[in-house]
């Protein structure tokens, strides 16, 4: 579509826009000052837009490079203790090639974190009236409410954990909530 007589990439890009190309073709057919002035104004606007895009692209590029260099310099200067080398000069040269983080052995990592938490729903209630209402529930209802609302476990998962049906969990939870509502509204 663009005439092949132009080798300048800026002119080629300018003439790739259909409106500019039509103006140029009209000027070639019948040259006059009015068309020349319009083409010149459009080219100036196009050039300013291209320069602005190039300017912002360079700013973004160099700002990102500067940020990355500063971040790397900071990370190199302030290495986290666990990320530093475990080589403390003791032992053979083959030892200590890893980080301190790799040397940490945690046998309790196999225990689920949530299982180590206190399973008492009462520990999470601050409102005195609600606390009293929850105290009136049986242990199973308290356990179901704890798993559902504190641990955010679905009824299906609770039923698997407690070896009962999902319907039984749902019914027990709804009964417990109804009882709590009655006691609070009384």
């Amino acid at each position: 579509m663009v005439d092949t007589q132009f080798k300048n990439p800026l002119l080629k890009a300018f003439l790739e826009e259909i409106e500019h190309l039509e103006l140029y073709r009209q000027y070639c057919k019948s040259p006059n000052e009015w068309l020349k002035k319009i083409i010149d104004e459009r080219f100036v606007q196009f050039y300013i837009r291209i320069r602005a895009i190039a300017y912002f692209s360079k700013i973004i590029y160099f700002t990102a490079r500067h940020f990355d260099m500063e971040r790397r310099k900071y990370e190199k200067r302030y290495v986290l203790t666990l990320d530093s080398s475990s080589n403390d000069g003791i032992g053979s040269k083959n030892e200590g090639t890893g980080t301190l983080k790799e040397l940490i052995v945690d046998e309790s990592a196999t225990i689920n974190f949530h299982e180590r938490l206190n399973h008492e729903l009462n520990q999470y209630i601050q409102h005195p009236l609600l606390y009293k209402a929850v105290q009136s529930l049986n242990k199973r209802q308290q356990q179901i409410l704890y798993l559902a609302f504190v641990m955010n476990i679905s009824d299906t998962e609770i039923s698997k954990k407690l070896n009962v049906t999902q319907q039984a969990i749902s019914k027990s939870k709804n009964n417990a909530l109804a009882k709590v509502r009655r006691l609070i509204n009384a």
Side-chain angles (χ1 to χ4, degrees):
M1 184 182 266
V2 177
D3 292 344
T4 57
Q5 66 189 22
F6 296 109
K7 293 183 181 178
N8 187 324
L10 189 59
L11 287 176
K12 283 184 180 180
F14 176 72
L15 292 176
E16 282 178 359
E17 295 183 19
I18 296 171
E19 183 181 341
H20 298 154
L21 183 61
E22 289 301 318
L23 284 172
Y24 173 70
R25 286 185 177 157
Q26 286 178 7
Y27 180 77
C28 289
K29 288 179 185 174
S30 60
N32 63 42
E33 281 300 313
W34 179 75
L35 278 174
K36 182 181 178 189
K37 185 177 180 182
I38 291 175
I39 292 173
D40 285 343
E41 287 174 358
R42 299 277 173 89
F43 183 76
V44 167
Q45 292 172 352
F46 176 79
Y47 183 71
I48 290 171
R49 189 175 74 219
I50 296 297
R51 290 284 308 244
I53 290 170
Y55 174 74
F56 288 120
S57 295
K58 286 179 184 176
I59 285 178
I60 291 169
Y61 172 76
F62 286 112
T63 302
R65 281 193 61 190
H66 177 72
F67 175 79
D68 187 53
M69 286 184 345
E70 290 298 317
R71 184 185 53 83
R72 287 175 191 238
K73 186 179 0 174
Y74 180 84
E75 288 175 355
K76 187 176 181 181
R77 188 176 295 158
Y78 301 106
V79 177
L80 293 176
T81 304
L82 292 178
D83 289 336
S84 63
S85 173
S86 63
N87 188 1
D88 58 359
I90 302 172
S92 70
K93 291 182 181 179
N94 292 337
E95 292 179 18
T97 56
T99 63
L100 292 174
K101 184 171 36 178
E102 294 167 351
L103 296 177
I104 296 174
V105 177
D106 186 12
E107 283 104 27
S108 66
T110 58
I111 299 173
N112 189 352
F113 174 74
H114 297 300
E115 291 175 1
R116 299 180 73 196
L117 291 175
N118 189 356
H119 290 295
E120 293 292 321
L121 180 62
N122 302 330
Q123 299 292 326
Y124 297 92
I125 300 174
Q126 295 178 352
H127 193 274
L129 192 57
L130 180 60
Y131 183 84
K132 186 176 179 183
V134 169
Q135 287 288 54
S136 69
L137 299 174
N138 64 37
K139 289 293 181 190
R140 183 152 184 96
Q141 289 175 325
Q142 288 182 15
Q143 182 183 23
I144 291 171
L145 290 181
Y146 169 81
L147 292 171
F149 296 108
V150 175
M151 302 304 293
N152 200 22
I153 298 175
S154 70
D155 290 353
T156 306
E157 292 173 11
I158 295 172
S159 68
K160 289 177 185 174
K161 190 173 195 128
L162 299 179
N163 294 325
V164 293
T165 65
Q166 183 267 332
Q167 292 82 3
I169 296 296
S170 180
K171 184 177 179 182
S172 181
K173 182 172 74 172
N174 290 337
N175 288 341
L177 291 174
K179 185 175 181 181
V180 168
R181 277 191 207 103
R182 273 195 318 274
L183 292 173
I184 289 175
N185 292 331

